[in-house]
């Protein structure tokens, strides 16, 4: 990245890097709590694994590059990368998935390009891409919300399934995915897609128990939580509104066009806005927090 | 004479390595290095073509007019590649199938026409043969190293399917380093090839830099003191 040279007077932004990073982590925390409440504690275990890996990997590379480890680690950028990656992968994915992804994100995508501010890509998302093309099965094994799951699982079960592949009572990840009717549950958007391929209309697919008040059960509140976190980021002027609003508006407009012209095979904008990782992507990923800091630090 | 030979060895295997320094022939290098067997097969084929074309170009160098040398070189190389293709089809058919289009594509490997133009067309037959051998070996070694890295990371084995190239006895060569239920697809797909190649080049550059630093290490002599103050 090339930074422009500007003449004086230099306005100093009073936000320090570590405060910004911590505020972003704070903004995401509500969504993480929501995820843990609806989908089990898996996400917290992944978070722990990811942060540990990120800090170790960062310290290792900094030592090799003969840089000051303490300063670089205390800006919390590695922690933020780990956090973003941990919340975007399935909560019950095996432990080595998150370890490989985070290590790649920190070592290859961030540090090999020169560290914070020099990385071409968002490290967390490059790590996500690596995982998605390397382990497509593990990366799409999403478990249903707890209230719909046939096999309930506790914290110990989740730890055991992440590290050994089976729970304490001997269930596999695949068995944990079974819904109350004994059929493997898909994510809301997945079940819409399979419904369409079976020839069902959208309104028929929406009868599926996985859908709640306005989007998928669990998923809708996770998205609301990330939306709130995003509004907090906007309020505290850490990100600019342009990217998230543009992202969400184009999604809503495209979905509306679909509903107007093909109501039978498409769903309204509300479902799209509150499904999957829409809000996470809009406020925490596409707004590229570590990159936008430079923009935010300069008076617009 | 021996000095010249040593220089050719050094150029081919290290200083001017076709894969690591000249970065020629990257297309087959990146596409075929998913396993050691494939890498070895393509490396040997390239080595043979390079040797044959270098020798032939050196033999005919006096009779080829300068203006049409490139088409002549290309025809010589194409003839050797066709031979290799037919031979592989006959003797290691399965490997021939798995290497696919990359065997005929050896023709377009710039390392080969590069050596014909830069070395063989200006040197005697034995020297050209030796140069072809060394350049081919340099390419082969990098190809096999990349193949080993990718195979180990991707599926946890080494020499998987070696019998396709070397005959049935080679089944004993297969080593299962680690047992994995899931392949690490990235290493097998092309991004893994680019990453692995980058790491190998970085490794070579590091070694070069270390050696240079060692050579340049200044000989510190005890500097004589310019001014000596003593009580006497």
């Amino acid at each position: 990245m090339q930074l422009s040279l500007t003449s004086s007077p230099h306005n100093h932004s009073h936000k320090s890097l570590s405060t910004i990073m911590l505020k972003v982590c704070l903004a995401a925390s509500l969504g993480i709590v929501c995820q843990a409440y609806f989908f089990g504690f898996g996400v917290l275990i992944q978070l722990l694994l990811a942060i540990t890996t990120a800090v170790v990997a960062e310290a290792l590379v900094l030592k090799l590059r003969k840089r000051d480890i303490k300063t670089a680690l205390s800006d919390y950028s590695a922690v933020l990368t780990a956090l973003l990656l941990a919340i975007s992968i399935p909560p019950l994915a095996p432990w080595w998935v998150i370890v490989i992804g985070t290590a790649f994100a920190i070592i290859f995508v961030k540090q090999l390009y020169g560290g914070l501010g020099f990385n071409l890509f968002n490290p967390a998302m490059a790590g996500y891409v690596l995982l998605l093309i390397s382990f497509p099965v593990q990366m799409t094994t999403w478990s249903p919300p707890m209230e719909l799951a046939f096999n309930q699982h506790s914290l110990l079960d989740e730890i055991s399934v992440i590290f050994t592949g089976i729970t304490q009572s001997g269930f596999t990840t695949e068995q944990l995915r079974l819904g109350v009717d004994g059929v493997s549950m898909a994510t809301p958007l997945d079940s819409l897609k399979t419904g369409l391929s079976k020839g069902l209309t959208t309104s028929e697919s929406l009868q599926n128990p996985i859908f709640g008040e306005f989007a998928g059960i669990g998923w809708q509140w996770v998205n609301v939580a990330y939306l709130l976190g995003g509004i907090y980021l906007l309020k505290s002027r850490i990100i600019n509104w342009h990217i998230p609003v543009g992202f969400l508006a184009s999604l809503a407009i495209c979905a509306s066009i679909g509903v107007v012209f093909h109501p039978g095979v498409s769903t309204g904008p509300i479902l799209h806005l509150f499904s999957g990782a829409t809000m996470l992507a809009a406020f925490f990923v596409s707004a590229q927090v570590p990159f936008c800091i430079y923009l935010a630090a300069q008076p617009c | 004479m021996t000095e010249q030979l040593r220089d050719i060895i050094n150029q081919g295997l290290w200083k001017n390595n076709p894969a690591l320094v000249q970065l020629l022939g990257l297309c087959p290098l990146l596409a075929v290095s998913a396993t050691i067997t494939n890498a070895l097969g393509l490396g040997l084929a390239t080595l043979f073509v390079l040797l044959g074309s270098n020798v032939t170009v050196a033999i005919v160098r006096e009779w080829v007019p300068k203006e049409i040398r490139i088409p002549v070189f290309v025809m010589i190389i194409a003839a050797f590649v066709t031979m290799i293709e037919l031979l592989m089809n006959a003797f290691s058919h399965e490997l021939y199938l798995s290497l696919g289009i990359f065997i005929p594509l050896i023709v377009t490997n710039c390392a080969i026409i590069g050596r014909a133009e830069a070395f063989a067309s200006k040197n005697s037959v034995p020297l050209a043969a030796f140069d072809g051998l060394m350049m081919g070996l340099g390419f082969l070694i990098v190809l096999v190293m990349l193949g080993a890295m990718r195979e180990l990371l991707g599926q946890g084995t080494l020499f998987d399917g070696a019998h396709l190239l070397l005959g049935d006895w080679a089944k004993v060569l297969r080593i299962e380093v680690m047992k994995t239920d899931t392949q690490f697809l990235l290493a097998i797909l092309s991004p893994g090839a680019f990453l692995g190649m980058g790491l190998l080049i970085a490794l070579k550059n590091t070694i070069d830099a270390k050696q240079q630093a060692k050579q340049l290490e200044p000989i510190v002599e005890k500097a004589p003191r310019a001014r000596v103050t003593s009580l006497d």
Side-chain angles (χ1 to χ4, degrees), chain A residues 100-167:
Chain A
I100 291 176
T102 320
F104 177 81
I106 295 290
I107 295 173
F108 282 83
V109 189
K110 185 179 170 197
Q111 289 294 345
L112 281 192
Y113 282 97
L116 184 67
F118 294 100
N119 42 308
L120 285 180
F121 309 104
N122 181 334
M125 287 307 115
Y128 182 83
V129 170
L130 169 111
L131 292 179
L132 196 61
I133 57 172
S134 299
F135 312 111
V137 177
Q138 286 81 0
M139 285 297 282
T140 47
T141 313
W142 292 91
S143 32
M146 292 287 248
E147 56 183 288
L148 295 178
F150 181 67
N151 298 310
Q152 293 296 324
H153 39 90
S154 65
L155 176 63
L156 283 178
D157 284 330
E158 280 147 12
I159 294 176
S160 153
V161 93
I162 286 174
F163 285 97
T164 63
I166 46 170
T167 65

Side-chain angles (χ1 to χ4, degrees), chain A:
Chain A
M1 193 175 86
Q2 201 172 6
L3 292 174
S4 55
L5 294 173
T6 49
S7 63
S8 58
H10 298 289
N11 278 339
H12 184 259
S13 163
H14 294 286
K15 298 168 191 158
S16 82
L17 207 52
S18 56
T19 342
I20 295 179
M21 297 291 176
L22 276 184
K23 276 189 178 167
V24 180
C25 293
L26 188 70
S29 60
L30 185 60
I32 296 170
V33 170
C34 246
Q35 253 178 301
Y37 176 78
F38 285 106
F39 298 94
F41 297 106
V43 63
L44 299 180
I45 306 166
Q46 303 286 357
L47 204 59
L48 213 63
L49 278 169
I51 292 177
T52 318
T53 315
V55 170
V56 170
E58 178 114 326
L60 205 73
V61 180
L62 287 170
K63 199 172 158 59
L64 282 177
R65 294 179 64 201
K66 301 192 179 69
R67 299 292 167 94
D68 185 17
I69 297 176
K70 242 188 179 165
T71 349
L73 277 184
S74 61
D75 66 18
Y76 296 107
S77 60
V79 173
L80 182 60
T81 298
L83 182 141
L84 282 178
L85 189 54
I87 55 185
S88 2
I89 74 163
L92 293 183
W95 63 272
W96 41 264
V97 168
I98 188 73
V99 170
I100 291 176
T102 320
F104 177 81
I106 295 290
I107 295 173
F108 282 83
V109 189
K110 185 179 170 197
Q111 289 294 345
L112 281 192
Y113 282 97
L116 184 67
F118 294 100
N119 42 308
L120 285 180
F121 309 104
N122 181 334
M125 287 307 115
Y128 182 83
V129 170
L130 169 111
L131 292 179
L132 196 61
I133 57 172
S134 299
F135 312 111
V137 177
Q138 286 81 0
M139 285 297 282
T140 47
T141 313
W142 292 91
S143 32
M146 292 287 248
E147 56 183 288
L148 295 178
F150 181 67
N151 298 310
Q152 293 296 324
H153 39 90
S154 65
L155 176 63
L156 283 178
D157 284 330
E158 280 147 12
I159 294 176
S160 153
V161 93
I162 286 174
F163 285 97
T164 63
I166 46 170
T167 65
Q168 292 187 310
S169 34
F171 290 124
T172 61
T173 323
E174 208 45 51
Q175 283 168 311
L176 288 182
R177 291 183 71 200
L178 297 183
V180 270
D181 50 0
V183 179
S184 211
M185 298 283 279
T187 62
L189 290 178
D190 257 346
S191 54
L192 266 180
K193 202 172 141 195
T194 14
L196 282 179
S197 65
K198 281 188 203 153
L200 299 177
T201 61
T202 348
S203 47
E204 283 167 335
S205 293
L206 287 177
Q207 300 305 314
N208 193 312
I210 201 161
F211 290 101
E213 290 82 13
F214 51 96
I217 286 180
W219 297 97
Q220 51 189 8
W221 297 116
V222 172
N223 273 286
V224 169
Y226 284 126
L227 174 62
L228 291 176
I231 292 171
Y232 167 74
L233 286 182
L234 285 176
K235 276 269 178 211
S236 48
R237 298 181 61 86
I238 288 174
I239 55 174
N240 291 331
W241 59 272
H242 310 79
I243 296 175
V245 170
F247 179 96
L248 295 176
S250 47
L251 177 62
I253 291 170
C254 292
S256 310
I257 294 175
V259 171
V260 170
F261 289 102
H262 268 290
V265 293
S266 42
T267 55
I270 295 295
L271 184 109
H272 281 287
L273 286 177
F274 292 95
S275 289
T278 307
M279 293 298 170
L280 179 70
F283 292 101
F284 293 86
V285 179
S286 64
Q288 283 243 349
V289 176
F291 174 73
C292 287
I293 283 163
Y294 289 102
L295 305 177
Q298 286 164 359
C300 314

